[in-house]
PDB file of all heavy atoms in Angstrom:
ATOM      1  N   LEU A  12      45.600 129.504 102.223  1.00 95.00           N
ATOM      2  CA  LEU A  12      47.038 129.335 102.129  1.00 95.00           C
ATOM      3  C   LEU A  12      47.563 128.808 103.404  1.00 95.00           C
ATOM      4  O   LEU A  12      48.588 128.072 103.410  1.00 95.00           O
ATOM      5  CB  LEU A  12      47.717 130.748 101.848  1.00 95.00           C
ATOM      6  CG  LEU A  12      47.758 131.135 100.397  1.00 95.00           C
ATOM      7  CD1 LEU A  12      48.630 132.380 100.231  1.00 95.00           C
ATOM      8  CD2 LEU A  12      48.340 130.050  99.502  1.00 95.00           C
ATOM      9  N   ARG A  13      46.965 129.065 104.528  1.00 96.00           N
ATOM     10  CA  ARG A  13      47.389 128.484 105.833  1.00 96.00           C
ATOM     11  C   ARG A  13      47.439 126.969 105.697  1.00 96.00           C
ATOM     12  O   ARG A  13      48.425 126.329 106.043  1.00 96.00           O
ATOM     13  CB  ARG A  13      46.456 128.921 106.944  1.00 96.00           C
ATOM     14  CG  ARG A  13      46.750 128.279 108.323  1.00 96.00           C
ATOM     15  CD  ARG A  13      45.778 128.782 109.377  1.00 96.00           C
ATOM     16  NE  ARG A  13      46.174 130.105 109.837  1.00 96.00           N
ATOM     17  CZ  ARG A  13      45.603 131.267 109.490  1.00 96.00           C
ATOM     18  NH1 ARG A  13      44.545 131.215 108.680  1.00 96.00           N
ATOM     19  NH2 ARG A  13      46.018 132.373 109.925  1.00 96.00           N
ATOM     20  N   ASP A  14      46.376 126.365 105.174  1.00 97.00           N
ATOM     21  CA  ASP A  14      46.352 124.905 105.062  1.00 97.00           C
ATOM     22  C   ASP A  14      47.190 124.424 103.904  1.00 97.00           C
ATOM     23  O   ASP A  14      47.816 123.368 103.982  1.00 97.00           O
ATOM     24  CB  ASP A  14      44.875 124.435 104.866  1.00 97.00           C
ATOM     25  CG  ASP A  14      44.038 124.645 106.136  1.00 97.00           C
ATOM     26  OD1 ASP A  14      44.620 124.743 107.232  1.00 97.00           O
ATOM     27  OD2 ASP A  14      42.761 124.712 105.954  1.00 97.00           O
ATOM     28  N   ALA A  15      47.225 125.146 102.827  1.00 97.00           N
ATOM     29  CA  ALA A  15      48.059 124.785 101.689  1.00 97.00           C
ATOM     30  C   ALA A  15      49.546 124.767 102.058  1.00 97.00           C
ATOM     31  O   ALA A  15      50.252 123.876 101.758  1.00 97.00           O
ATOM     32  CB  ALA A  15      47.812 125.739 100.520  1.00 97.00           C
ATOM     33  N   PHE A  16      49.963 125.838 102.762  1.00 97.00           N
ATOM     34  CA  PHE A  16      51.345 125.827 103.204  1.00 97.00           C
ATOM     35  C   PHE A  16      51.701 124.735 104.170  1.00 97.00           C
ATOM     36  O   PHE A  16      52.786 124.238 104.164  1.00 97.00           O
ATOM     37  CB  PHE A  16      51.677 127.243 103.821  1.00 97.00           C
ATOM     38  CG  PHE A  16      51.814 128.344 102.817  1.00 97.00           C
ATOM     39  CD1 PHE A  16      51.744 129.668 103.239  1.00 97.00           C
ATOM     40  CD2 PHE A  16      52.059 128.094 101.493  1.00 97.00           C
ATOM     41  CE1 PHE A  16      51.835 130.700 102.342  1.00 97.00           C
ATOM     42  CE2 PHE A  16      52.182 129.091 100.539  1.00 97.00           C
ATOM     43  CZ  PHE A  16      52.085 130.432 100.945  1.00 97.00           C
ATOM     44  N   ALA A  17      50.770 124.381 105.055  1.00 97.00           N
ATOM     45  CA  ALA A  17      50.989 123.274 105.957  1.00 97.00           C
ATOM     46  C   ALA A  17      51.252 121.962 105.137  1.00 97.00           C
ATOM     47  O   ALA A  17      52.124 121.214 105.461  1.00 97.00           O
ATOM     48  CB  ALA A  17      49.828 123.104 106.951  1.00 97.00           C
ATOM     49  N   ALA A  18      50.452 121.785 104.114  1.00 96.00           N
ATOM     50  CA  ALA A  18      50.584 120.535 103.261  1.00 96.00           C
ATOM     51  C   ALA A  18      51.919 120.633 102.546  1.00 96.00           C
ATOM     52  O   ALA A  18      52.590 119.622 102.445  1.00 96.00           O
ATOM     53  CB  ALA A  18      49.427 120.518 102.299  1.00 96.00           C
ATOM     54  N   ILE A  19      52.337 121.772 102.029  1.00 96.00           N
ATOM     55  CA  ILE A  19      53.549 121.965 101.293  1.00 96.00           C
ATOM     56  C   ILE A  19      54.718 121.729 102.235  1.00 96.00           C
ATOM     57  O   ILE A  19      55.735 121.085 101.845  1.00 96.00           O
ATOM     58  CB  ILE A  19      53.635 123.339 100.601  1.00 96.00           C
ATOM     59  CG1 ILE A  19      52.623 123.371  99.420  1.00 96.00           C
ATOM     60  CG2 ILE A  19      55.006 123.649 100.167  1.00 96.00           C
ATOM     61  CD1 ILE A  19      52.448 124.719  98.871  1.00 96.00           C
ATOM     62  N   GLU A  20      54.620 122.233 103.488  1.00 97.00           N
ATOM     63  CA  GLU A  20      55.743 121.952 104.431  1.00 97.00           C
ATOM     64  C   GLU A  20      55.964 120.461 104.632  1.00 97.00           C
ATOM     65  O   GLU A  20      57.115 120.035 104.636  1.00 97.00           O
ATOM     66  CB  GLU A  20      55.445 122.663 105.820  1.00 97.00           C
ATOM     67  CG  GLU A  20      55.592 124.168 105.743  1.00 97.00           C
ATOM     68  CD  GLU A  20      55.208 124.882 107.043  1.00 97.00           C
ATOM     69  OE1 GLU A  20      54.288 124.415 107.745  1.00 97.00           O
ATOM     70  OE2 GLU A  20      55.894 125.779 107.381  1.00 97.00           O
ATOM     71  N   ASN A  21      54.884 119.728 104.799  1.00 95.00           N
ATOM     72  CA  ASN A  21      54.989 118.299 104.974  1.00 95.00           C
ATOM     73  C   ASN A  21      55.421 117.540 103.720  1.00 95.00           C
ATOM     74  O   ASN A  21      56.286 116.698 103.768  1.00 95.00           O
ATOM     75  CB  ASN A  21      53.623 117.697 105.430  1.00 95.00           C
ATOM     76  CG  ASN A  21      53.288 118.075 106.823  1.00 95.00           C
ATOM     77  OD1 ASN A  21      54.164 118.318 107.675  1.00 95.00           O
ATOM     78  ND2 ASN A  21      52.044 118.179 107.114  1.00 95.00           N
ATOM     79  N   TRP A  22      54.918 117.942 102.550  1.00 94.00           N
ATOM     80  CA  TRP A  22      55.165 117.334 101.283  1.00 94.00           C
ATOM     81  C   TRP A  22      56.624 117.492 100.878  1.00 94.00           C
ATOM     82  O   TRP A  22      57.259 116.526 100.427  1.00 94.00           O
ATOM     83  CB  TRP A  22      54.258 117.948 100.226  1.00 94.00           C
ATOM     84  CG  TRP A  22      54.195 117.215  98.915  1.00 94.00           C
ATOM     85  CD1 TRP A  22      55.055 117.400  97.905  1.00 94.00           C
ATOM     86  CD2 TRP A  22      53.289 116.183  98.550  1.00 94.00           C
ATOM     87  NE1 TRP A  22      54.683 116.561  96.855  1.00 94.00           N
ATOM     88  CE2 TRP A  22      53.647 115.804  97.212  1.00 94.00           C
ATOM     89  CE3 TRP A  22      52.259 115.505  99.201  1.00 94.00           C
ATOM     90  CZ2 TRP A  22      52.935 114.837  96.503  1.00 94.00           C
ATOM     91  CZ3 TRP A  22      51.547 114.563  98.505  1.00 94.00           C
ATOM     92  CH2 TRP A  22      51.902 114.189  97.182  1.00 94.00           C
ATOM     93  N   TYR A  23      57.135 118.723 101.004  1.00 95.00           N
ATOM     94  CA  TYR A  23      58.485 119.036 100.501  1.00 95.00           C
ATOM     95  C   TYR A  23      59.510 119.106 101.645  1.00 95.00           C
ATOM     96  O   TYR A  23      60.667 119.445 101.401  1.00 95.00           O
ATOM     97  CB  TYR A  23      58.510 120.303  99.719  1.00 95.00           C
ATOM     98  CG  TYR A  23      57.764 120.206  98.412  1.00 95.00           C
ATOM     99  CD1 TYR A  23      56.397 120.708  98.305  1.00 95.00           C
ATOM    100  CD2 TYR A  23      58.261 119.571  97.286  1.00 95.00           C
ATOM    101  CE1 TYR A  23      55.712 120.590  97.158  1.00 95.00           C
ATOM    102  CE2 TYR A  23      57.529 119.462  96.113  1.00 95.00           C
ATOM    103  CZ  TYR A  23      56.274 119.959  96.039  1.00 95.00           C
ATOM    104  OH  TYR A  23      55.553 119.871  94.908  1.00 95.00           O
ATOM    105  N   ASN A  24      59.105 118.899 102.898  1.00 96.00           N
ATOM    106  CA  ASN A  24      59.981 119.004 104.052  1.00 96.00           C
ATOM    107  C   ASN A  24      60.677 120.342 104.129  1.00 96.00           C
ATOM    108  O   ASN A  24      61.920 120.482 104.120  1.00 96.00           O
ATOM    109  CB  ASN A  24      61.022 117.844 104.056  1.00 96.00           C
ATOM    110  CG  ASN A  24      61.732 117.719 105.371  1.00 96.00           C
ATOM    111  OD1 ASN A  24      61.187 118.050 106.415  1.00 96.00           O
ATOM    112  ND2 ASN A  24      63.001 117.329 105.348  1.00 96.00           N
ATOM    113  N   VAL A  25      59.889 121.439 104.051  1.00 97.00           N
ATOM    114  CA  VAL A  25      60.373 122.760 104.151  1.00 97.00           C
ATOM    115  C   VAL A  25      59.617 123.500 105.267  1.00 97.00           C
ATOM    116  O   VAL A  25      58.591 123.060 105.850  1.00 97.00           O
ATOM    117  CB  VAL A  25      60.169 123.569 102.857  1.00 97.00           C
ATOM    118  CG1 VAL A  25      61.018 123.008 101.721  1.00 97.00           C
ATOM    119  CG2 VAL A  25      58.670 123.702 102.460  1.00 97.00           C
ATOM    120  N   GLU A  26      60.172 124.645 105.674  1.00 98.00           N
ATOM    121  CA  GLU A  26      59.533 125.540 106.661  1.00 98.00           C
ATOM    122  C   GLU A  26      59.150 126.800 105.900  1.00 98.00           C
ATOM    123  O   GLU A  26      60.009 127.393 105.289  1.00 98.00           O
ATOM    124  CB  GLU A  26      60.512 125.876 107.803  1.00 98.00           C
ATOM    125  CG  GLU A  26      59.905 126.731 108.871  1.00 98.00           C
ATOM    126  CD  GLU A  26      60.907 127.127 109.905  1.00 98.00           C
ATOM    127  OE1 GLU A  26      61.750 126.337 110.199  1.00 98.00           O
ATOM    128  OE2 GLU A  26      60.805 128.236 110.440  1.00 98.00           O
ATOM    129  N   ILE A  27      57.930 127.240 106.029  1.00 97.00           N
ATOM    130  CA  ILE A  27      57.428 128.390 105.309  1.00 97.00           C
ATOM    131  C   ILE A  27      57.141 129.464 106.316  1.00 97.00           C
ATOM    132  O   ILE A  27      56.430 129.316 107.329  1.00 97.00           O
ATOM    133  CB  ILE A  27      56.141 128.108 104.505  1.00 97.00           C
ATOM    134  CG1 ILE A  27      56.457 127.041 103.430  1.00 97.00           C
ATOM    135  CG2 ILE A  27      55.596 129.366 103.865  1.00 97.00           C
ATOM    136  CD1 ILE A  27      55.276 126.634 102.631  1.00 97.00           C
ATOM    137  N   GLU A  28      57.757 130.680 106.062  1.00 97.00           N
ATOM    138  CA  GLU A  28      57.522 131.891 106.930  1.00 97.00           C
ATOM    139  C   GLU A  28      56.794 132.912 106.050  1.00 97.00           C
ATOM    140  O   GLU A  28      57.237 133.163 104.944  1.00 97.00           O
ATOM    141  CB  GLU A  28      58.871 132.384 107.341  1.00 97.00           C
ATOM    142  CG  GLU A  28      58.857 133.698 108.153  1.00 97.00           C
ATOM    143  CD  GLU A  28      60.216 134.188 108.464  1.00 97.00           C
ATOM    144  OE1 GLU A  28      61.174 133.468 108.417  1.00 97.00           O
ATOM    145  OE2 GLU A  28      60.289 135.380 108.755  1.00 97.00           O
ATOM    146  N   VAL A  29      55.780 133.450 106.613  1.00 95.00           N
ATOM    147  CA  VAL A  29      54.923 134.438 105.892  1.00 95.00           C
ATOM    148  C   VAL A  29      55.116 135.809 106.500  1.00 95.00           C
ATOM    149  O   VAL A  29      54.930 135.942 107.735  1.00 95.00           O
ATOM    150  CB  VAL A  29      53.474 134.056 105.897  1.00 95.00           C
ATOM    151  CG1 VAL A  29      52.599 135.029 105.213  1.00 95.00           C
ATOM    152  CG2 VAL A  29      53.307 132.628 105.291  1.00 95.00           C
ATOM    153  N   ASP A  30      55.535 136.768 105.737  1.00 94.00           N
ATOM    154  CA  ASP A  30      55.739 138.165 106.223  1.00 94.00           C
ATOM    155  C   ASP A  30      54.496 138.811 106.704  1.00 94.00           C
ATOM    156  O   ASP A  30      54.452 139.497 107.749  1.00 94.00           O
ATOM    157  CB  ASP A  30      56.394 139.048 105.136  1.00 94.00           C
ATOM    158  CG  ASP A  30      57.841 138.707 104.888  1.00 94.00           C
ATOM    159  OD1 ASP A  30      58.450 137.965 105.674  1.00 94.00           O
ATOM    160  OD2 ASP A  30      58.358 139.202 103.846  1.00 94.00           O
ATOM    161  N   ASP A  31      53.370 138.591 106.026  1.00 91.00           N
ATOM    162  CA  ASP A  31      52.093 139.226 106.363  1.00 91.00           C
ATOM    163  C   ASP A  31      51.082 138.176 106.629  1.00 91.00           C
ATOM    164  O   ASP A  31      50.605 137.453 105.741  1.00 91.00           O
ATOM    165  CB  ASP A  31      51.636 140.099 105.179  1.00 91.00           C
ATOM    166  CG  ASP A  31      50.315 140.895 105.491  1.00 91.00           C
ATOM    167  OD1 ASP A  31      49.693 140.589 106.582  1.00 91.00           O
ATOM    168  OD2 ASP A  31      49.928 141.696 104.684  1.00 91.00           O
ATOM    169  N   PRO A  32      50.680 137.997 107.915  1.00 91.00           N
ATOM    170  CA  PRO A  32      49.776 136.903 108.278  1.00 91.00           C
ATOM    171  C   PRO A  32      48.409 136.978 107.520  1.00 91.00           C
ATOM    172  O   PRO A  32      47.774 135.958 107.359  1.00 91.00           O
ATOM    173  CB  PRO A  32      49.543 137.154 109.732  1.00 91.00           C
ATOM    174  CG  PRO A  32      50.714 137.873 110.232  1.00 91.00           C
ATOM    175  CD  PRO A  32      51.119 138.735 109.083  1.00 91.00           C
ATOM    176  N   ALA A  33      48.095 138.132 107.008  1.00 90.00           N
ATOM    177  CA  ALA A  33      46.794 138.250 106.220  1.00 90.00           C
ATOM    178  C   ALA A  33      46.795 137.383 104.999  1.00 90.00           C
ATOM    179  O   ALA A  33      45.755 136.971 104.464  1.00 90.00           O
ATOM    180  CB  ALA A  33      46.552 139.707 105.835  1.00 90.00           C
ATOM    181  N   LEU A  34      47.983 137.041 104.428  1.00 92.00           N
ATOM    182  CA  LEU A  34      48.141 136.211 103.259  1.00 92.00           C
ATOM    183  C   LEU A  34      47.583 134.814 103.539  1.00 92.00           C
ATOM    184  O   LEU A  34      47.099 134.147 102.629  1.00 92.00           O
ATOM    185  CB  LEU A  34      49.589 136.077 102.859  1.00 92.00           C
ATOM    186  CG  LEU A  34      50.329 137.324 102.248  1.00 92.00           C
ATOM    187  CD1 LEU A  34      51.767 137.041 102.080  1.00 92.00           C
ATOM    188  CD2 LEU A  34      49.606 137.691 100.965  1.00 92.00           C
ATOM    189  N   LEU A  35      47.660 134.390 104.792  1.00 93.00           N
ATOM    190  CA  LEU A  35      47.258 133.006 105.121  1.00 93.00           C
ATOM    191  C   LEU A  35      45.774 132.758 104.938  1.00 93.00           C
ATOM    192  O   LEU A  35      45.304 131.627 104.838  1.00 93.00           O
ATOM    193  CB  LEU A  35      47.649 132.695 106.583  1.00 93.00           C
ATOM    194  CG  LEU A  35      49.131 132.677 106.828  1.00 93.00           C
ATOM    195  CD1 LEU A  35      49.420 132.491 108.301  1.00 93.00           C
ATOM    196  CD2 LEU A  35      49.839 131.651 106.007  1.00 93.00           C
TER     197      LEU A  35
END
Side-chain angles (χ1 to χ4, degrees):
L12 276 187
R13 175 178 283 104
D14 293 339
F16 285 160
I19 289 170
E20 286 179 324
N21 289 330
W22 191 271
Y23 293 101
N24 193 30
V25 295
E26 180 184 329
I27 298 176
E28 177 185 340
V29 179
D30 287 348
D31 183 352
L34 291 174
L35 296 174

